[in-house]
Amino acid sequence: MKLLRNERGGAALAFIIFASVAAAYLTMNLNQVLDVVSKKKKDGRINAEMDTFTRGIISYTTHALKNRWCMDDKWARSESCSGDMHEVISNKLNLERLLWSSASLTAIKQAYKNEYNKEIGFEPALDEVSTTINIKSLGELSQSHPINLSLTNTLRNCMDEVSISLKKAENSALYKSGDDRYIEIFVEAKMKDIDRCSDYNSRPYGRSLVGLFPRTLNQFAIIKGGDLDLSKYTGSESSKGLNIHAPIYVDNDLILPSSSYAPVGIYSNIHLGRGAVKSGSGNFVPKSFGGQDDQLYSTYANVKTIKRGVVFEDEVDEGIAALFGNEYYVDTSLAKKCDIWRELEENLSETRDSRLFGKLSGSGFSVGLSKTNLPISNEFKEYAFPSELVSSTKGYTVILKNDKNTVSYIDVGKSEKPIMKMDVSVPANGETAELLLARDTEFKINLNSSINFIKSKEVLTKETVTDEEFDDTYKENDFQRVVRNISSKCSDLNSKDPKVRSDKCSLVDSNFNESKSSSCASVYNDDPGAKASCESRVNAIETASNEYAEMKDESLEEIEEYLKKQPSIDFSLSASTTNITNFKVDISNKDQLNSDAYKNISDITLSLTAFDFAIENSSNYTTGRRNNEAHKPGPNELGNPNLINIKLIRNKEGVVESIKYTNAGDEELKGWTMLKRDNGFNEPPRKPMPGLFEKLSKELFMPEGGLSISESKELKEKCSGIPVNDNYSWDISFTKNTLHSWMYDVGGNGITLTETMEMQDRYLFNQSNMYPGDAGGIPNQSVTKKCIIPSDVSFIFGFYACLELEIEPRSTPLTFVGTLLVNELEISSGALTSGVNFYSIWHPAAIEKLREYKWLARRDENGELLECDSNITVWNKNISRQEQYDLRTCSPIHFVLEGPNNYNWTTVDPEIGLPESGGLVTKSKIPNRYRRFNIQTYWVETGSL
């Protein structure tokens, strides 16, 4: 026991001794420990300073890029981009130059030419913007300059300069589509090389990738003029309330209720144009700034929720106040004519009520335009062409796409302008041609055989040939055999007698005789046996070459005989000026179609595109709409061409016994038959195929049914002065006449100009108009004084502009999908109790609703609406054309392409309109020069190089 106690005491004594030694050691090294701790703190402070600085510059630069600023050499916003066009587009620190699309660049160059009467001498777009800022020079600027705000005093004293660059990102991982832009921002600081700054890394940097996307009006659920006063929508907490699920733009203030509860849920950003967040009689002040119970507006007790807070706009959309604050009148007859002329010129889908019909007629067939089942309503009209397609000798140019001489002859006739386009194809031979046809045009379509005689002639006239060149030519096997024989014998001569020439070998090798100047006799003068063998090889080449020459001469004669007898289909159009044009058809050398060379031909396809505006018998010259008639798709329909199939009917021996004409549905053209597939008469109109009329748009004139050609030419000079497609102006303002630009569909029947033009007084929403089959197009309503949603309407889709919108009491929820442009939003307490929901077309829930109502749907061959297929791999660039079409019709992009163009603008302030300076000429700002962007930061990286 004593021993045990002694052991315990020894252990305690040992611990005391150890602790004493440790304490002494710690005391001796305390300064070193404190130095380590101090350095860690210092490094942490330095890193935090640099990180704050680089991230701050990146954030500031991102904001400047989003708002399209011009910068000065101190990286502050410059005012130099607010004036002269040349100064703006040549400014090397104009960040907007990184964002222009190819379409806007084309228009910028045209606007520059219009402004300065000369071609632009440089490329307006930039791939990079960069600058270097001396930190010392920042002392001249205000302390509120963003770079000064990012600098601490110690950092300012140790930093020499900072470089900032923005580059268009080139990365295969970035999937670019449309007008989105990806920009890499790089910030690098250079530190001073002095002792007191030795703790700083010499080259700290920050780098970030951002994406910019045009923020179009159709991305908003509501665009609200004036204030958005949530205290107007008070109710109980059990009410379903007003729910806005997409961004909302408010021109002035957002006013929160100060006492009563408002069942309002705003689930996306609120954008404030010129106002502030207010409550009661002053600005809204939260209970605490970031406190535990007051971290977001979503905790504000008097509203249901404001999920994503408020965005204060850098630039006000002046068009909203102008739209809801003005009245617009036009009281001259010239204004009426100019608007009619302009609408007809700009809207190339005016044939939407008429269709192309065909029937057998004498020795050919007739083609007619009609809005009924008989071609009695619409005439084919003649239109002028732009200078690019005008020929001084023929009046206009024939565009050929073939490489086998499909069209050998065409006479455009005496008519000045064409009435239609015809695409010709001979499927058996892969031949195609595109022709522009006037009323009295004549042309001949040569039918090539399975043997390519044109290619045969080209090959046989060449000085040097290869056996592969005779593929698909006349006597293909014979010529390939002879050429291979010559090539083999020349190769044998070259290997055994490398110094001996043979002019005949140049047929198969143009370089054969290079560095060869000897004959067999000169090479083997002292060796008779070798000489004899050499001459034998040369003679064999001569024999094979002679065989080729004889075959060539004989074949060229035979080919000429074939071409003289080449069968062709000959067309001639009648010169009559009616709604019917007749084609006389004849086949030259018809017997040749029975020979083996032409037995593969059984079908010739003609695809017709009419050049016409269907305005006759219409109550509205602008739209061509007929009263009390359902819309028909029109004569020129995407994916459903007007076809005349010429079928050669052969017997068992392959002899042509007759010719049959059919349409796209394989119906025979006996009586009047529609040329495309019939997809129903109640389908909404579709625009022509994109690009179909682009080459015509500069010179289209109104048909005689509305104005004569001479009157139209006169109006062109009075109403535009220069072609409308080139009528771009730099930073022109239409703000004063905003209402004019937004009255694009008054009353739902197009703009009907009278002595005065005023907005419609009242629009009552109708549930039956919310279905594709009944709406007559994508629902939209231009500026109306009062819009009313009655209680029996539960779903609304479309784009609407209303000075006042009233939602009447209801017992069921209301869903609105689209964009509402409104000044006063009145919602009854009963509607708030049942629930009112606003979505933009891009919201996932809205897309599901639009698919439910078949606004987004696929179409089968008969035009029937089908469910959207969610299994298409949208990231695959090799999807079929049908899948691409299905994706478009199943996506909100369908409404961007087919809906009212105003909602594709980025501001209510118009992109197209009447200048504030007055006049009747509708002008355009630079197209696709977007004024507002959404921006997304993908990553930020900081460190040192």
Side-chain angles (χ1 to χ4, degrees):
M1 294 294 292
K2 287 183 180 181
L3 178 63
L4 184 61
R5 282 197 297 270
N6 289 337
E7 286 177 348
R8 287 179 176 176
L13 181 60
F15 174 77
I16 292 171
I17 294 171
F18 175 79
S20 300
V21 171
Y25 178 83
L26 182 61
T27 302
M28 292 168 61
N29 292 277
L30 182 60
N31 290 335
Q32 290 180 323
V33 172
L34 292 176
D35 286 345
V36 171
V37 173
S38 176
K39 187 174 188 310
K40 288 291 184 183
K41 288 183 177 180
K42 188 176 184 180
D43 289 345
R45 175 181 58 77
I46 289 172
N47 290 336
E49 285 180 352
M50 292 308 310
D51 191 69
T52 299
F53 173 73
T54 52
R55 287 179 181 271
I57 299 302
I58 288 174
S59 296
Y60 168 61
T61 302
T62 299
H63 178 81
L65 177 65
K66 174 186 175 183
N67 291 288
R68 307 176 300 121
W69 285 3
C70 266
M71 312 303 285
D72 62 18
D73 57 1
K74 303 296 190 299
W75 211 239
R77 186 176 186 179
S78 170
E79 298 302 323
S80 63
C81 282
S82 58
D84 179 71
M85 177 185 181
H86 177 81
E87 184 178 350
V88 174
I89 66 175
S90 63
N91 189 313
K92 66 178 183 179
L93 295 180
N94 180 3
L95 301 186
E96 188 184 10
R97 295 177 68 185
L98 294 166
L99 307 177
W100 289 331
S101 65
S102 57
S104 59
L105 285 172
T106 300
I108 286 170
K109 292 175 182 178
Q110 182 60 53
Y112 189 93
K113 187 176 180 179
N114 294 343
E115 181 77 15
Y116 301 104
N117 198 29
K118 65 179 181 179
E119 299 290 342
I120 192 169
F122 55 91
E123 181 57 43
L126 292 177
D127 293 326
E128 179 179 3
V129 171
S130 62
T131 190
T132 299
I133 305 161
N134 186 289
I135 297 300
K136 186 177 180 180
S137 67
L138 294 177
E140 305 167 5
L141 303 178
S142 165
Q143 284 299 311
S144 62
H145 186 286
I147 297 183
N148 277 329
L149 292 174
S150 300
L151 286 168
T152 62
N153 287 331
T154 54
L155 195 58
R156 182 191 307 277
N157 293 329
C158 286
M159 188 178 294
D160 191 21
E161 62 185 26
V162 60
S163 297
I164 303 171
S165 69
L166 299 91
K167 290 184 180 180
K168 290 182 180 177
E170 297 296 336
N171 189 326
S172 59
L174 296 174
Y175 184 77
K176 298 179 181 178
S177 61
D179 291 321
D180 51 346
R181 292 289 178 270
Y182 297 90
I183 306 295
E184 188 169 331
I185 302 172
F186 186 76
V187 176
E188 180 185 355
K190 181 181 178 182
M191 310 304 292
K192 294 178 180 178
D193 186 15
I194 54 179
D195 289 342
R196 71 168 182 267
C197 300
S198 59
D199 291 321
Y200 287 93
N201 292 312
S202 60
R203 293 171 62 196
Y205 78 92
R207 189 171 60 173
S208 178
L209 177 68
V210 298
L212 293 99
F213 313 90
R215 193 191 74 189
T216 52
L217 298 179
N218 57 45
Q219 295 173 26
F220 291 100
I222 299 174
I223 300 171
K224 175 73 171 63
D227 301 328
L228 176 61
D229 187 354
L230 300 188
S231 62
K232 291 175 56 178
Y233 313 118
T234 56
S236 68
E237 293 190 18
S238 62
S239 297
K240 294 182 178 178
L242 168 64
N243 303 288
I244 304 172
H245 300 272
I248 174 174
Y249 188 102
V250 180
D251 193 35
N252 288 333
D253 296 330
L254 170 65
I255 302 175
L256 302 175
S258 57
S259 56
S260 55
Y261 176 77
V264 177
I266 302 178
Y267 297 91
S268 190
N269 299 116
I270 306 169
H271 295 257
L272 294 187
R274 66 181 87 235
V277 182
K278 296 189 174 181
S279 179
S281 58
N283 289 336
F284 169 68
V285 179
K287 297 176 183 177
S288 63
F289 295 94
Q292 184 64 34
D293 298 325
D294 198 22
Q295 294 184 14
L296 295 172
Y297 286 141
S298 58
T299 63
Y300 184 65
N302 292 334
V303 296
K304 186 191 298 185
T305 185
I306 300 178
K307 281 287 187 186
R308 298 187 63 180
V310 176
V311 176
F312 294 95
E313 293 287 298
D314 186 74
E315 191 174 353
V316 173
D317 185 347
E318 299 291 352
I320 299 175
L323 177 66
F324 293 128
N326 294 335
E327 292 186 5
Y328 176 75
Y329 298 93
V330 174
D331 57 4
T332 67
S333 58
L334 178 60
K336 176 180 177 180
K337 288 184 178 181
C338 283
D339 272 61
I340 294 174
W341 175 84
R342 192 173 297 110
E343 281 291 321
L344 285 171
E345 184 174 34
E346 292 177 354
N347 188 347
L348 295 170
S349 60
E350 299 305 334
T351 45
R352 59 188 177 186
D353 280 342
S354 60
R355 294 181 170 198
L356 280 174
F357 289 76
K359 74 168 185 175
L360 284 177
S361 177
S363 60
F365 47 86
S366 299
V367 174
L369 268 176
S370 178
K371 70 182 180 67
T372 65
N373 60 353
L374 290 176
I376 56 176
S377 305
N378 311 114
E379 290 188 14
F380 287 99
K381 298 297 181 183
E382 298 177 343
Y383 294 93
F385 274 69
S387 58
E388 298 94 280
L389 297 181
V390 173
S391 165
S392 59
T393 57
K394 290 189 175 181
Y396 58 91
T397 300
V398 179
I399 307 171
L400 298 178
K401 293 183 183 176
N402 61 297
D403 58 4
K404 291 187 178 180
N405 198 30
T406 302
V407 177
S408 64
Y409 169 83
I410 182 162
D411 180 359
V412 298
K414 297 178 181 179
S415 298
E416 182 184 357
K417 308 172 190 76
I419 57 174
M420 70 173 66
K421 177 170 75 78
M422 177 182 285
D423 291 285
V424 183
S425 66
V426 185
N429 297 326
E431 303 172 76
T432 61
E434 179 179 308
L435 309 173
L436 305 180
L437 307 178
R439 297 189 181 281
D440 47 2
T441 299
E442 296 182 6
F443 61 97
K444 179 193 295 283
I445 301 176
N446 283 335
L447 300 176
N448 288 308
S449 69
S450 55
I451 300 170
N452 194 331
F453 291 114
I454 303 299
K455 180 181 177 182
S456 300
K457 286 180 64 176
E458 292 175 354
V459 175
L460 288 175
T461 54
K462 294 176 68 174
E463 293 182 0
T464 303
V465 297
T466 64
D467 60 336
E468 291 87 358
E469 289 180 281
F470 286 91
D471 290 342
D472 301 322
T473 63
Y474 186 58
K475 295 182 179 180
E476 171 185 350
N477 294 332
D478 291 337
F479 276 107
Q480 287 182 337
R481 174 186 57 79
V482 173
V483 170
R484 288 168 187 161
N485 186 31
I486 296 172
S487 182
S488 174
K489 294 183 182 304
C490 289
S491 179
D492 186 44
L493 177 66
N494 189 55
S495 62
K496 295 178 179 178
D497 309 293
K499 296 182 179 181
V500 176
R501 292 177 55 88
S502 173
D503 293 336
K504 301 299 183 182
C505 286
S506 61
L507 176 68
V508 294
D509 184 358
S510 60
N511 299 320
F512 183 86
N513 291 307
E514 283 187 7
S515 302
K516 295 180 181 181
S517 60
S518 303
S519 65
C520 293
S522 62
V523 174
Y524 302 108
N525 186 41
D526 298 326
D527 190 347
K531 174 185 174 185
S533 296
C534 175
E535 289 177 343
S536 175
R537 285 187 282 272
V538 171
N539 291 335
I541 294 171
E542 292 280 343
T543 301
S545 178
N546 291 337
E547 182 182 5
Y548 176 86
E550 291 175 5
M551 286 175 56
K552 170 184 173 180
D553 294 339
E554 181 180 270
S555 297
L556 285 173
E557 290 181 7
E558 292 170 353
I559 288 170
E560 287 299 327
E561 285 300 310
Y562 267 107
L563 292 177
K564 286 179 183 178
K565 298 178 181 178
Q566 186 176 15
S568 64
I569 297 182
D570 307 323
F571 287 83
S572 58
L573 277 70
S574 66
S576 57
T577 308
T578 68
N579 58 308
I580 299 173
T581 185
N582 294 315
F583 290 71
K584 182 181 179 181
V585 182
D586 194 18
I587 297 182
S588 301
N589 300 315
K590 182 178 179 181
D591 291 340
Q592 289 296 313
L593 292 172
N594 301 325
S595 66
D596 291 338
Y598 296 97
K599 280 188 177 179
N600 64 320
I601 298 176
S602 58
D603 295 278
I604 297 98
T605 301
L606 313 177
S607 178
L608 306 181
T609 300
F611 298 159
D612 187 72
F613 287 135
I615 68 165
E616 287 80 11
N617 301 322
S618 170
S619 60
N620 191 313
Y621 278 145
T622 301
T623 64
R625 176 177 289 182
R626 276 77 174 172
N627 289 337
N628 303 319
E629 287 191 26
H631 273 273
K632 306 180 182 77
N636 307 314
E637 186 180 356
L638 178 65
N640 189 10
N642 302 293
L643 298 184
I644 296 177
N645 299 306
I646 303 175
K647 296 180 175 291
L648 307 180
I649 309 302
R650 299 178 181 272
N651 61 20
K652 293 180 179 179
E653 290 73 34
V655 176
V656 177
E657 294 185 333
S658 62
I659 299 176
K660 179 181 177 182
Y661 302 107
T662 64
N663 69 354
D666 208 33
E667 297 174 83
E668 190 169 359
L669 301 180
K670 292 183 178 179
W672 285 112
T673 308
M674 191 164 61
L675 296 183
K676 64 180 179 179
R677 293 190 306 274
D678 191 354
N679 50 9
F681 287 88
N682 294 320
E683 189 172 355
R686 298 182 185 177
K687 294 181 180 178
M689 185 181 297
L692 188 65
F693 292 104
E694 285 178 357
K695 55 181 171 288
L696 311 178
S697 58
K698 294 183 180 179
E699 299 285 349
L700 283 174
F701 297 136
M702 285 178 58
E704 292 92 332
L707 295 171
S708 69
I709 294 294
S710 59
E711 287 175 325
S712 184
K713 289 180 178 177
E714 182 180 349
L715 278 179
K716 182 178 179 67
E717 296 175 0
K718 290 182 178 180
C719 298
S720 70
I722 59 176
V724 70
N725 280 1
D726 294 337
N727 205 4
Y728 306 126
S729 295
W730 181 261
D731 273 349
I732 189 171
S733 176
F734 309 125
T735 306
K736 181 180 177 182
N737 295 317
T738 296
L739 186 56
H740 172 268
S741 298
W742 281 88
M743 295 185 73
Y744 57 84
D745 191 20
V746 175
N749 294 312
I751 300 174
T752 304
L753 292 173
T754 58
E755 287 301 306
T756 63
M757 187 175 86
E758 301 181 72
M759 68 181 70
Q760 186 176 334
D761 285 327
R762 187 172 182 268
Y763 177 77
L764 186 68
F765 286 88
N766 187 332
Q767 189 65 64
S768 64
N769 289 339
M770 295 299 115
Y771 296 91
D774 303 317
I778 296 171
N780 66 89
Q781 179 72 13
S782 71
V783 189
T784 303
K785 291 181 179 178
K786 185 170 185 176
C787 304
I788 300 172
I789 303 177
S791 59
D792 60 345
V793 175
S794 60
F795 174 71
I796 292 174
F797 163 57
F799 303 89
Y800 304 89
C802 308
L803 265 65
E804 179 186 352
L805 174 70
E806 179 184 350
I807 303 177
E808 294 183 339
R810 57 181 40 255
S811 58
T812 57
L814 170 66
T815 299
F816 183 107
V817 175
T819 300
L820 172 66
L821 185 53
V822 65
N823 196 47
E824 297 293 336
L825 179 60
E826 304 294 334
I827 305 176
S828 67
S829 59
L832 285 172
T833 301
S834 299
V836 177
N837 295 277
F838 283 89
Y839 299 88
S840 74
I841 57 174
W842 303 99
H843 194 282
I847 293 173
E848 289 302 314
K849 198 75 174 177
L850 293 170
R851 290 179 175 179
E852 175 188 337
Y853 275 76
K854 293 295 188 293
W855 282 108
L856 295 176
R858 295 184 298 122
R859 297 178 185 274
D860 64 13
E861 293 181 353
N862 299 317
E864 295 294 326
L865 299 177
L866 305 175
E867 296 288 340
C868 289
D869 184 358
S870 60
N871 296 321
I872 300 175
T873 54
V874 296
W875 56 86
N876 186 347
K877 296 182 179 180
N878 298 318
I879 60 176
S880 68
R881 179 173 294 182
Q882 183 61 48
E883 286 175 323
Q884 292 177 41
Y885 179 74
D886 291 345
L887 280 174
R888 197 192 80 177
T889 59
C890 286
S891 161
I893 195 66
H894 174 63
F895 310 127
V896 174
L897 299 173
E898 304 290 343
N901 183 58
N902 293 39
Y903 292 88
N904 296 333
W905 298 344
T906 54
T907 60
V908 175
D909 200 1
E911 291 293 312
I912 300 172
L914 294 179
E916 293 185 359
S917 57
L920 301 172
V921 181
T922 298
K923 293 182 177 292
S924 172
K925 293 180 181 178
I926 301 298
N928 291 20
R929 185 192 174 200
Y930 299 106
R931 316 285 159 167
R932 304 289 189 274
F933 285 90
N934 289 320
I935 193 164
Q936 179 176 351
T937 299
Y938 291 97
W939 49 258
V940 177
E941 172 186 300
T942 60
S944 60
L945 297 174

